[in-house]
């Protein structure tokens, strides 16, 4: 009996044999996904939902990463205005009925009530550090520098703030699974970079909250994905996350120069998601059917078929031809 798409994906995440290797790709639906504010403008939420439904109906992917364009921020007035570590440390948890919870749960539920029985759905969540970065008005490089500056100012104060923010993100992770019915979370984080950044600092300030979020998600579902984000060329020390308790790992294989078969040595107990680059210069975007088929087969020949889900380093360009995703799926089914 043929496996459903959901059964196929969960089997791959369990590192069991599958009829074919599943694949999944995603892209943004709002023009400015980082700074758009769906809490202030509900029309943005509708645009996001319409785009997500159009993609799922039109392409029928193996699994869905539920995009959260417009919901990237943490709508807490202290975090929104803080410019120093001590100001940030004054943050207090949001009430349970805050739109941060209720609006995101309602949005996710609109997707799961349509597709949740047939397709695995993973809700996008960012760690506290990335959330604070995204709430700044500068470029990505400027926001990275701002975060490193806060940690240099007062690491203990930043840790205290991140404990509160991570507590709310953990609550959202649990509720989005339990109340909205998503399969799990797609949890995005990345190394701290800049002056003073080190693994010791990361372990002190960032890791405790990130692990709390995963504990909350795992208590509600064992099917969660960790995304070690290499967006815009951000480089990460992947082994910092070797002990993170999560079923599946996704990292920027092309950006990091660590293909899936090498990643198995770092994460031998995890299922692996990825393999393709996500830029307009990469074969997934620009390639012919023959080139994409060949690259799919090359990735699987090197990485194997067990415990593998094909995907990209990160979000792909909005204008990518969806046929390219089909070519990957067809090629994966032919091995």
């Amino acid at each position: 009996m043929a496996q459903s798409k959901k059964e196929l994906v969960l089997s791959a995440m369990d590192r069991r044999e599958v009829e074919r290797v599943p694949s999944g790709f995603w892209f943004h639906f709002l023009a400015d996904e980082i700074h758009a504010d769906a809490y202030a403008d509900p029309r943005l939420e509708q645009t996001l939902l319409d785009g997500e439904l159009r993609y799922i109906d039109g392409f029928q992917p193996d699994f869905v990463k539920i995009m959260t364009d417009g919901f990237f921020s943490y709508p807490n007035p202290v975090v929104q205005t803080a410019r120093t570590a001590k100001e940030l440390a004054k943050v207090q948890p949001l009430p349970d009925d805050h739109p941060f919870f209720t609006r995101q749960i309602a949005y996710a539920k609109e997707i799961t009530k349509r597709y949740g029985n047939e397709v695995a759905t993973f809700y996008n969540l960012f760690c506290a550090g990335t959330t604070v970065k995204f709430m700044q008005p500068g470029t990505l490089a400027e926001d990275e520098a701002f975060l490193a500056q806060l940690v240099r100012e007062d690491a203990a104060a930043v840790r205290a703030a991140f404990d509160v923010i991570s507590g709310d993100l953990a609550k959202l992770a649990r509720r989005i699974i339990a109340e909205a019915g998503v399969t799990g979370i797609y949890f995005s984080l990345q190394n701290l970079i800049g002056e003073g950044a080190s693994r010791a600092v990361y372990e002190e300030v960032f890791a405790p909250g990130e692990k709390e979020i995963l504990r909350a998600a795992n208590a509600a579902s064992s099917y969660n994905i960790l995304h070690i984000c290499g967006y815009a060329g951000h480089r990460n020390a992947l082994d910092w996350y070797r002990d993170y308790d999560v079923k599946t790992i996704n990292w920027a294989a092309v950006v990091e120069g660590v293909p899936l078969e090498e990643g198995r040595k770092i994460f031998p107990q995890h299922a692996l998601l990825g393999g393709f680059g996500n830029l307009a210069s990469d074969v997934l975007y620009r390639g012919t059917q023959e080139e994409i088929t060949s690259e799919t087969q090359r990735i699987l020949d090197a990485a194997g078929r067990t415990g593998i889900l094909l995907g990209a380093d990160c979000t792909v360009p909005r204008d990518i031809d969806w046929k390219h995703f089909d070519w990957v799926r067809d090629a994966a089914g032919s091995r």
Side-chain angles (χ1 to χ4, degrees):
M1 181 177 177
Q3 291 178 303
S4 69
K5 288 182 178 179
K6 189 169 187 177
E7 291 169 338
L8 184 73
V9 168
L10 300 188
S11 291
M13 294 178 73
D14 284 332
R15 298 187 297 152
R16 299 200 302 265
E17 288 189 15
V18 291
E19 296 171 354
R20 65 174 176 85
V21 175
S23 59
F25 304 95
W26 42 86
F27 45 87
H28 291 296
F29 297 103
L30 299 185
D32 182 358
E33 68 277 1
I34 294 177
H35 299 112
D37 188 351
Y39 299 108
D41 185 353
R43 293 174 300 177
L44 296 177
E45 179 182 342
Q46 190 62 51
T47 299
L48 173 64
L49 177 61
D50 289 346
E52 193 82 75
L53 298 181
R54 185 166 56 251
Y55 172 58
I56 298 169
D57 285 339
F59 178 66
Q60 299 183 346
D62 288 343
F63 63 93
V64 174
K65 176 197 168 191
I66 299 179
M67 303 300 286
T68 53
D69 304 3
F71 290 121
F72 281 18
S73 70
Y74 175 65
N76 187 306
V78 171
V79 180
Q80 289 169 330
T81 60
R83 300 305 300 166
T84 69
K86 284 184 171 53
E87 290 173 350
L88 188 66
K90 296 177 182 177
V91 63
Q92 295 295 313
L94 297 172
D96 287 353
D97 61 352
H98 193 280
F100 177 74
F101 301 110
T102 60
R103 289 275 301 280
Q104 294 196 71
I105 291 168
Y107 159 62
K109 194 178 292 185
E110 286 296 316
I111 296 171
T112 59
K113 73 181 183 182
R114 290 172 168 84
Y115 313 107
N117 291 331
E118 292 81 30
V119 181
T121 55
F122 302 94
Y123 193 81
N124 182 66
L125 283 183
F126 295 102
C127 67
T130 299
T131 299
V132 170
K133 281 191 295 186
F134 281 164
M135 293 174 68
Q136 308 312 310
T139 64
L140 288 175
E142 290 169 341
D143 297 345
E144 288 273 12
F146 174 74
L147 186 60
Q149 171 194 319
L150 292 179
V151 174
R152 288 195 304 273
E153 281 178 17
D154 191 334
V158 176
R159 163 68 188 273
F162 282 4
D163 284 350
V164 173
I165 299 169
S166 296
D168 277 347
L169 289 167
K171 183 183 294 183
L172 178 60
R174 176 182 57 78
R175 292 184 63 182
I176 210 83
I177 296 169
E179 297 177 35
V182 302
T183 306
I185 65 168
Y186 179 93
F187 183 45
S188 178
L189 44 68
Q190 56 187 192
N191 290 179
L192 175 68
I193 61 173
E195 182 185 347
S198 68
R199 183 169 187 173
V201 169
Y202 193 91
E203 291 287 344
E204 174 191 356
V205 177
F206 293 78
E210 293 166 354
K211 292 178 179 180
E212 178 187 357
I213 293 165
L214 285 176
R215 280 194 297 271
N218 287 331
S221 169
S222 61
Y223 294 98
N224 296 294
I225 301 170
L226 182 70
H227 172 58
I228 307 168
C229 187
Y231 183 74
H234 183 113
R235 299 294 299 274
N236 296 277
L238 301 179
D239 64 345
W240 290 13
Y241 306 103
R242 193 191 302 267
D243 68 340
Y244 277 47
D245 184 12
V246 66
K247 190 174 284 285
T248 302
I249 306 280
N250 171 226
W251 70 92
V254 175
V255 168
E256 307 289 3
V258 181
L260 295 183
E261 64 271 19
E262 292 298 318
R264 281 197 187 278
K265 300 173 185 177
I266 305 171
F267 305 111
Q269 304 303 316
H270 298 78
L272 309 179
L273 165 61
F276 286 91
N278 69 308
L279 303 180
S281 57
D282 289 316
V283 67
L284 181 67
Y285 180 86
R286 62 165 179 76
T288 64
Q289 182 172 3
E290 181 179 2
E291 290 169 334
I292 291 173
T293 296
S294 176
E295 179 65 5
T296 303
Q297 293 173 347
R298 185 198 66 77
I299 291 170
L300 293 179
D301 286 344
R305 298 175 54 86
T306 303
I308 295 293
L309 299 89
L310 291 169
D313 283 0
C314 201
T315 50
V316 300
R318 293 169 175 81
D319 64 346
I320 193 169
D321 190 332
W322 299 355
K323 289 199 302 289
H324 294 200
F325 306 154
D326 256 332
W327 295 342
V328 172
R329 183 157 55 188
D330 290 345
S334 69
R335 301 305 284 170

PDB file of all heavy atoms in Angstrom, residues 218-232:
ATOM      1  N   ASN A 218       8.970  19.375  21.716  1.00  0.00           N
ATOM      2  CA  ASN A 218       9.076  17.914  21.788  1.00  0.00           C
ATOM      3  C   ASN A 218       8.042  17.300  22.733  1.00  0.00           C
ATOM      4  O   ASN A 218       7.626  16.151  22.539  1.00  0.00           O
ATOM      5  CB  ASN A 218      10.482  17.509  22.233  1.00  0.00           C
ATOM      6  CG  ASN A 218      11.517  17.719  21.148  1.00  0.00           C
ATOM      7  OD1 ASN A 218      11.214  17.654  19.965  1.00  0.00           O
ATOM      8  ND2 ASN A 218      12.756  17.968  21.548  1.00  0.00           N
ATOM      9  N   ALA A 219       7.631  18.053  23.743  1.00  0.00           N
ATOM     10  CA  ALA A 219       6.601  17.555  24.656  1.00  0.00           C
ATOM     11  C   ALA A 219       5.255  17.432  23.962  1.00  0.00           C
ATOM     12  O   ALA A 219       4.402  16.637  24.371  1.00  0.00           O
ATOM     13  CB  ALA A 219       6.485  18.481  25.870  1.00  0.00           C
ATOM     14  N   ALA A 220       5.073  18.234  22.900  1.00  0.00           N
ATOM     15  CA  ALA A 220       3.808  18.206  22.160  1.00  0.00           C
ATOM     16  C   ALA A 220       3.877  17.341  20.913  1.00  0.00           C
ATOM     17  O   ALA A 220       2.867  16.803  20.465  1.00  0.00           O
ATOM     18  CB  ALA A 220       3.400  19.627  21.777  1.00  0.00           C
ATOM     19  N   SER A 221       5.067  17.213  20.315  1.00  0.00           N
ATOM     20  CA  SER A 221       5.262  16.410  19.104  1.00  0.00           C
ATOM     21  C   SER A 221       6.735  16.052  18.991  1.00  0.00           C
ATOM     22  O   SER A 221       7.603  16.906  19.221  1.00  0.00           O
ATOM     23  CB  SER A 221       4.832  17.184  17.854  1.00  0.00           C
ATOM     24  OG  SER A 221       5.252  16.515  16.667  1.00  0.00           O
ATOM     25  N   SER A 222       7.016  14.821  18.601  1.00  0.00           N
ATOM     26  CA  SER A 222       8.419  14.438  18.416  1.00  0.00           C
ATOM     27  C   SER A 222       8.934  14.795  17.027  1.00  0.00           C
ATOM     28  O   SER A 222      10.123  14.612  16.750  1.00  0.00           O
ATOM     29  CB  SER A 222       8.592  12.934  18.658  1.00  0.00           C
ATOM     30  OG  SER A 222       7.824  12.189  17.730  1.00  0.00           O
ATOM     31  N   TYR A 223       8.072  15.327  16.171  1.00  0.00           N
ATOM     32  CA  TYR A 223       8.466  15.628  14.794  1.00  0.00           C
ATOM     33  C   TYR A 223       8.737  17.121  14.627  1.00  0.00           C
ATOM     34  O   TYR A 223       7.871  17.893  14.199  1.00  0.00           O
ATOM     35  CB  TYR A 223       7.389  15.153  13.819  1.00  0.00           C
ATOM     36  CG  TYR A 223       7.261  13.659  13.812  1.00  0.00           C
ATOM     37  CD1 TYR A 223       6.275  13.021  14.559  1.00  0.00           C
ATOM     38  CD2 TYR A 223       8.152  12.864  13.089  1.00  0.00           C
ATOM     39  CE1 TYR A 223       6.173  11.633  14.567  1.00  0.00           C
ATOM     40  CE2 TYR A 223       8.057  11.489  13.097  1.00  0.00           C
ATOM     41  CZ  TYR A 223       7.070  10.872  13.839  1.00  0.00           C
ATOM     42  OH  TYR A 223       6.979   9.511  13.853  1.00  0.00           O
ATOM     43  N   ASN A 224       9.958  17.528  14.974  1.00  0.00           N
ATOM     44  CA  ASN A 224      10.363  18.922  14.867  1.00  0.00           C
ATOM     45  C   ASN A 224      11.660  19.020  14.081  1.00  0.00           C
ATOM     46  O   ASN A 224      12.454  18.075  14.045  1.00  0.00           O
ATOM     47  CB  ASN A 224      10.525  19.533  16.263  1.00  0.00           C
ATOM     48  CG  ASN A 224       9.213  19.563  17.021  1.00  0.00           C
ATOM     49  OD1 ASN A 224       8.278  20.263  16.647  1.00  0.00           O
ATOM     50  ND2 ASN A 224       9.120  18.758  18.091  1.00  0.00           N
ATOM     51  N   ILE A 225      11.864  20.188  13.453  1.00  0.00           N
ATOM     52  CA  ILE A 225      13.015  20.420  12.577  1.00  0.00           C
ATOM     53  C   ILE A 225      13.822  21.587  13.115  1.00  0.00           C
ATOM     54  O   ILE A 225      13.251  22.639  13.428  1.00  0.00           O
ATOM     55  CB  ILE A 225      12.558  20.715  11.135  1.00  0.00           C
ATOM     56  CG1 ILE A 225      11.730  19.551  10.572  1.00  0.00           C
ATOM     57  CG2 ILE A 225      13.756  21.009  10.236  1.00  0.00           C
ATOM     58  CD1 ILE A 225      11.036  19.865   9.251  1.00  0.00           C
ATOM     59  N   LEU A 226      15.138  21.430  13.191  1.00  0.00           N
ATOM     60  CA  LEU A 226      16.039  22.518  13.551  1.00  0.00           C
ATOM     61  C   LEU A 226      16.688  23.050  12.287  1.00  0.00           C
ATOM     62  O   LEU A 226      17.296  22.295  11.524  1.00  0.00           O
ATOM     63  CB  LEU A 226      17.116  22.023  14.522  1.00  0.00           C
ATOM     64  CG  LEU A 226      18.102  23.095  15.015  1.00  0.00           C
ATOM     65  CD1 LEU A 226      17.403  24.077  15.945  1.00  0.00           C
ATOM     66  CD2 LEU A 226      19.294  22.456  15.717  1.00  0.00           C
ATOM     67  N   HIS A 227      16.569  24.351  12.069  1.00  0.00           N
ATOM     68  CA  HIS A 227      17.167  25.009  10.907  1.00  0.00           C
ATOM     69  C   HIS A 227      18.337  25.861  11.375  1.00  0.00           C
ATOM     70  O   HIS A 227      18.146  26.859  12.081  1.00  0.00           O
ATOM     71  CB  HIS A 227      16.128  25.880  10.211  1.00  0.00           C
ATOM     72  CG  HIS A 227      16.665  26.744   9.117  1.00  0.00           C
ATOM     73  ND1 HIS A 227      17.332  26.237   8.018  1.00  0.00           N
ATOM     74  CD2 HIS A 227      16.649  28.099   8.947  1.00  0.00           C
ATOM     75  CE1 HIS A 227      17.682  27.229   7.220  1.00  0.00           C
ATOM     76  NE2 HIS A 227      17.293  28.360   7.771  1.00  0.00           N
ATOM     77  N   ILE A 228      19.559  25.476  11.016  1.00  0.00           N
ATOM     78  CA  ILE A 228      20.755  26.252  11.325  1.00  0.00           C
ATOM     79  C   ILE A 228      20.948  27.197  10.147  1.00  0.00           C
ATOM     80  O   ILE A 228      21.420  26.805   9.087  1.00  0.00           O
ATOM     81  CB  ILE A 228      21.971  25.338  11.532  1.00  0.00           C
ATOM     82  CG1 ILE A 228      21.643  24.265  12.581  1.00  0.00           C
ATOM     83  CG2 ILE A 228      23.186  26.149  11.958  1.00  0.00           C
ATOM     84  CD1 ILE A 228      22.668  23.142  12.656  1.00  0.00           C
ATOM     85  N   CYS A 229      20.571  28.448  10.324  1.00  0.00           N
ATOM     86  CA  CYS A 229      20.314  29.345   9.198  1.00  0.00           C
ATOM     87  C   CYS A 229      21.594  29.934   8.606  1.00  0.00           C
ATOM     88  O   CYS A 229      22.373  30.582   9.305  1.00  0.00           O
ATOM     89  CB  CYS A 229      19.378  30.469   9.650  1.00  0.00           C
ATOM     90  SG  CYS A 229      18.838  31.523   8.283  1.00  0.00           S
ATOM     91  N   GLY A 230      21.765  29.724   7.312  1.00  0.00           N
ATOM     92  CA  GLY A 230      22.874  30.318   6.578  1.00  0.00           C
ATOM     93  C   GLY A 230      22.420  31.400   5.621  1.00  0.00           C
ATOM     94  O   GLY A 230      23.081  31.664   4.613  1.00  0.00           O
ATOM     95  N   TYR A 231      21.261  32.023   5.948  1.00  0.00           N
ATOM     96  CA  TYR A 231      20.700  33.060   5.076  1.00  0.00           C
ATOM     97  C   TYR A 231      21.701  34.181   4.850  1.00  0.00           C
ATOM     98  O   TYR A 231      22.409  34.594   5.767  1.00  0.00           O
ATOM     99  CB  TYR A 231      19.413  33.612   5.701  1.00  0.00           C
ATOM    100  CG  TYR A 231      18.696  34.634   4.859  1.00  0.00           C
ATOM    101  CD1 TYR A 231      17.986  34.239   3.728  1.00  0.00           C
ATOM    102  CD2 TYR A 231      18.741  35.983   5.171  1.00  0.00           C
ATOM    103  CE1 TYR A 231      17.329  35.170   2.939  1.00  0.00           C
ATOM    104  CE2 TYR A 231      18.079  36.925   4.388  1.00  0.00           C
ATOM    105  CZ  TYR A 231      17.372  36.512   3.279  1.00  0.00           C
ATOM    106  OH  TYR A 231      16.735  37.436   2.503  1.00  0.00           O
ATOM    107  N   ALA A 232      21.761  34.681   3.622  1.00  0.00           N
ATOM    108  CA  ALA A 232      22.654  35.785   3.238  1.00  0.00           C
ATOM    109  C   ALA A 232      24.123  35.457   3.504  1.00  0.00           C
ATOM    110  O   ALA A 232      24.938  36.335   3.765  1.00  0.00           O
ATOM    111  CB  ALA A 232      22.257  37.072   3.947  1.00  0.00           C
TER     112      ALA A 232
END
